[in-house]
Amino acid sequence: MTTLETTNHNANRSLSFLNKKLGISYREKVTTISIWAPSAENVIWRIYDKGTAGRLVIETKLNRDNDGFWEASIQKDLHGFYYTIQVKNHGKWLDEIPDIYAYSTGVNGHRGVIFDPLKTNPPEWEKDTFISLESYTDAVIYEMNIRDFTKHPDSGVEHQGLFLGLTEEATHNSYGESTALSHLEDLGISHAHLLPVSDYCKLDERTPNEGYNWGYDPLNFNTLEGSYATTPYDGLKRVTEFKQLVSTLHKKDIGVVLDVVYNHTGLIEGNYFDQTEPGYFFRHKEDGSLSNASGCGNEFASEKHMARKYLIDSLKYWCEEYHIDGFRFDLMGIYDLETMNIIATTLREINPSILLYGEGWTADTSVLEESKRAVKKNTTLLNQIACFSDDFRDTVKGSQFSDTSIGFISGMRGQEEDLKKAIVGGLSHPQIDPEYLKDKGYLWANNPTQVVNYFSCHDDYTIYDKLKITLPLEEDNMIINRIKLAMAINMLSQGIPFFHSGVELLRTKKGVRNSYNSPDFINQIVWSRKKGHVASLSKYVEHLIQLRKEVNSFRLQREDEIIQRLHFVEDYKQGVVSFILNHKELIPGFGNKILVAFNNNNEIIEQEVPHASWARFDLLKYEVAPHVIPSNKISLSPVSANIFILL
Ligand code: CA
């Protein structure tokens, strides 16, 4: 403890070194390494000709300065060479590791690789840039996994399960339906949110097909996962191939969001932070044991100077080197508010459109008091960082924590006020019953730009599996109607919509609830499913996204705008919530107003609405129905989202 307190004292004395560049700095004639290890007694830097085995080429000691930084330079062109560092601490040599900043590694992440980043750039990379957004509510986020997305034999993709799989154009399945990248283009999403692509440790990169992992077991945070590259042995390939992926998506006007997992390490014993400056990077309980808010064994101490610096440096690196458009923070409730706000300010200087959102909770208790952490109830203290709305999720499909729990789409009764709150982005609205708000409607965000609306994600059952479990007697055609209703609520509510890859393809994980290490046949997107009624469901989702894009009233940016423009229909019918949006100005093809009515009843419902010539909008055909007669009644199909336009 003494060492750490001294360190903190020193850090406070002179914060200027927070700008210091750590890790490898490559230049053609000289490469420098700089690491921070104030309690180290000795540090050795070794250069190898390969990422595993091979020959030791150079070995040198690092020199320490007064602030605990260790540095050395080698006068030689080291592009393509591999390296390790080894720290001696309290008389003991720790493990040989890449430094914690390693920008790429050899197979399985044991040695770093030194490289000239310019030599990893695909053609025209210098022209590649971020996706720009006018409002964060313009985003439509699609959560996907690199391997799952193209692994299936009917994906029509050559590089199945790899970064390059997502760069292949005009692919289709054996029924001629678009797959992979072409499928994303058809859907019209704005951002592909990728499950962890940074290096993780519990899949052997030498034999990736003998295992599977989502990747929430991080090893090298600035390095890409080797099993997604065409070879894990050449540390440069993964860099180039991922840049090709980013560049391809950007050319299709799709941004790339990374799911980042700095909150804990995949290895508890032997993690690379502890092999550098033991104990510093994690929170501890009073008895000295590790605090474990991640539920995985440790939790990152984001509030400490050098841990905070590590986070900021790493995120900046992903933005600057890979042109990443956003980050999803796994267990964001572990990080301290101050660090998150510095991250937001720093990254917006690089890219004002950057999307930042996370899970506003932890998996277990933290030693850092809740008032200081980025949990959902502190969202209003965050500088335009959004949180996942678990209220929205539970309202739409039922509680995550009970298999039998049902939600609005599965026919839940008496949930109209919950759904109204979901529709207005979890914010306040004068037409939401104050008694309901008093009981369970707590307000946690300032504006819809801070609310990520979702009903399913990689965690837990797919929506199809959840519905099959809660409604076991229902046929697929009825399940599809419920999924359509869920997607309509998702796309036509205020906030930032997010959906799980495969919702639109009736994805099943065969009832597996937590598939983090299940084989491909559980996790992969089965592209041969995309035909007939499933292709039609996908088309429906595509049209919902198109409607959201064309009608900006679904993408309001402030709470007061929502209160001003969104009015719920007063006529009460059980299982029905309807609202009218008044557009700011006439929208070509969509008139002055749009009426949306969600019905979870199994029968047709007649609802009274303000007297007008409401024309039904057929979402599947994407056209307005002819023959409109002025009326004060609309007819709502069983289990459906109904859209009417006032032309
Ligand atoms: Ca790995």
Side-chain angles (χ1 to χ4, degrees), residues 105 107-109 198-205 219-220 224-227 238:
T105 67
V107 65
N108 284 332
S198 72
D199 182 33
Y200 51 87
C201 61
K202 289 179 184 156
L203 179 69
D204 189 337
E205 295 176 0
L219 184 63
N220 291 290
L224 289 154
E225 164 60 20
S227 68
R238 60 185 83 174

Side-chain angles (χ1 to χ4, degrees), residues 81 86 184 199 227 398 424 524 564:
F81 281 84
Q86 194 171 19
L184 292 186
D199 182 33
S227 68
V424 297
Q524 70 194 349
Q564 192 193 338

Side-chain angles (χ1 to χ4, degrees), residues 265-322:
T265 50
L267 300 173
I268 304 304
E269 292 292 322
N271 73 75
Y272 294 171
F273 292 108
D274 282 339
Q275 301 306 309
T276 309
E277 181 58 31
Y280 174 83
F281 289 90
F282 304 99
R283 294 187 189 132
H284 291 83
K285 296 180 194 165
E286 274 183 18
D287 65 5
S289 64
L290 286 165
S291 184
N292 180 25
S294 71
C296 297
N298 61 20
E299 80 186 70
F300 195 72
S302 58
E303 68 283 8
K304 289 189 182 170
H305 289 296
M306 294 307 285
R308 175 179 290 168
K309 173 178 166 56
Y310 183 79
L311 267 179
I312 296 167
D313 286 349
S314 178
L315 293 163
K316 273 178 77 177
Y317 174 72
W318 285 106
C319 288
E320 290 173 340
E321 189 61 34
Y322 290 102

Side-chain angles (χ1 to χ4, degrees), residues 393-528:
R393 176 193 74 198
D394 292 354
T395 295
V396 171
K397 73 165 182 195
S399 169
Q400 177 107 335
F401 304 105
S402 156
D403 278 9
T404 52
S405 163
I406 60 170
F408 186 81
I409 62 160
S410 31
M412 180 76 168
R413 304 277 109 186
Q415 229 192 354
E416 294 80 15
E417 295 307 300
D418 295 276
L419 188 64
K420 281 161 77 176
K421 186 156 168 279
I423 289 165
V424 297
L427 303 163
S428 69
H429 191 281
Q431 285 177 284
I432 297 177
D433 181 2
E435 285 303 309
Y436 159 82
L437 283 178
K438 213 165 61 187
D439 281 356
K440 57 173 191 165
Y442 99 92
L443 305 168
W444 51 272
N446 288 317
N447 281 308
T449 51
Q450 285 191 303
V451 180
V452 175
N453 290 328
Y454 79 115
F455 58 86
S456 70
C457 67
H458 67 280
D459 277 324
D460 221 279
Y461 301 117
T462 66
I463 191 64
Y464 175 80
D465 288 350
K466 170 77 176 174
L467 287 166
K468 288 298 259 189
I469 290 165
T470 46
L471 304 165
L473 300 178
E474 266 192 1
E475 301 289 336
D476 273 5
N477 62 348
M478 197 59 194
I479 298 277
I480 287 176
N481 286 343
R482 297 189 190 281
I483 293 175
K484 283 181 175 173
L485 179 56
M487 278 307 301
I489 297 170
N490 196 215
M491 286 303 147
L492 307 181
S493 290
Q494 304 296 326
I496 303 171
F498 165 109
F499 67 109
H500 181 218
S501 164
V503 166
E504 77 286 12
L505 298 171
L506 220 58
R507 182 180 188 176
T508 174
K509 291 198 279 188
K510 301 177 173 64
V512 176
R513 184 169 195 164
N514 181 0
S515 64
Y516 81 100
N517 65 356
S518 300
D520 288 318
F521 82 91
I522 298 294
N523 277 301
Q524 70 194 349
I525 298 286
V526 178
W527 287 106
S528 50

